Amino acid sequence: MYISTRGRYAVRAMLDIALSTDDKPVSLRAISDRQNLPISYLEQIFNRLKRVGLVNSIRGVHGGYHLGKPANEITVGSIIKVLEGPIRLSKCNEPVANRPTCIGPNDCVAKVMWERLEHQIDELLEGISLEDLVRESESLGRQGVTKKYEESVS
Amino acid sequence: MYISTRGRYAVRAMLDIALSTDDKPVSLRAISDRQNLPISYLEQIFNRLKRVGLVNSIRGVHGGYHLGKPANEITVGSIIKVLEGPIRLSKCNEPVANRPTCIGPNDCVAKVMWERLEHQIDELLEGISLEDLVRESESLGRQGVTKKYEESVS
DNA sequence: AAGATTCTTGACAGACAGAGTCGAGTATGT
DNA sequence: ACATACTCGACTCTGTCTGTCAAGAATCTT
């Protein structure tokens, strides 16, 4: 039920870019430093993000990445789905361990239910844009949030 | 993002019991046959279901399991959570690979978002009871559903 | 032109969780 | 007695996830 680190890191990295105020491209190195994420892992992630146009890349010194679309058009769902494939709760129709799935009648009832849930979760994820997160980030204020977090953890 | 087979099998098995018309306990063997699920795996699953009272067991010949509560009080969410723990999308606060999580400011924004989504998904799952599925199963009709499924797959 | 940055790509490895099995045991009905 | 069924815990296997590494190509700075 977890969302993989790939997907979550991607959201954080994209948000990092979205939060950068100037127009300069944001390098993986900078993201890696700010977010404390392994740079080589980010490379892998950004390859995929680039391939689908969620980011544009600029090579060379002072290169980096830009958002490929305005922040309000980039949803959390779209980022997640690039890195994890479509939202799926069950593996109906995919035989598992030589055992055909979706055999009995109530398996089908369950299948319909899973698909309905998948759709609902998809809508939840598609309903949140990077812009929403940027706004939230600004309204909370950086220092404040960090402090609160540190207190709650320690 | 998948729900594990344990969780999904559990829902199917519980629905199987809920669909049984008479009061006789339903044996794992019967469930295994009808649902095409490995019986030894079901044993594992039902151990957990029993421990939290979602089912009652009757030993010996003609033994088996009953629902531990009325079908309308058993939600899909409660079943899933017995087998997979609470609904969680991120692992914030759990250090991964020696790397402290939740460091940067927008990690916290993301964290808040994940928690909100977890809560929303939880509500979706808690909103579906076994009774709902029983009703759905009856209204669709067993044969009809099976046919439809077979057509859509082939 | 040389060198430093930075993206590009694919192969690879270790750890871990998920899926399922197995066996020994206990309780109960016939 | 014997067959049926639940009880419990240990175990294995497989695949995915996480992350690393290395070689290369493009671009900027000096």
Side-chain angles (χ1 to χ4, degrees), chain A residues 13-27 30-31 34 65-67 71 134-135 137-138 142, chain B residues 106:
Chain A
M14 291 290 278
L15 178 55
D16 189 294
I17 299 178
L19 282 170
S20 95
T21 49
D22 47 23
D23 271 6
K24 291 184 211 154
V26 181
S27 71
I31 297 175
R34 275 193 294 266
Y65 292 92
H66 281 302
L67 295 185
V134 168
R135 199 161 21 226
S137 176
E138 283 163 354
R142 299 194 160 213
Chain B
N106 45 348

Side-chain angles (χ1 to χ4, degrees), chain A residues 116-130:
Chain A
R116 203 164 42 215
L117 283 170
E118 285 161 8
H119 185 242
Q120 288 174 314
I121 292 173
D122 192 57
E123 279 183 340
L124 288 178
L125 292 173
E126 289 295 341
I128 308 173
S129 74
L130 276 188

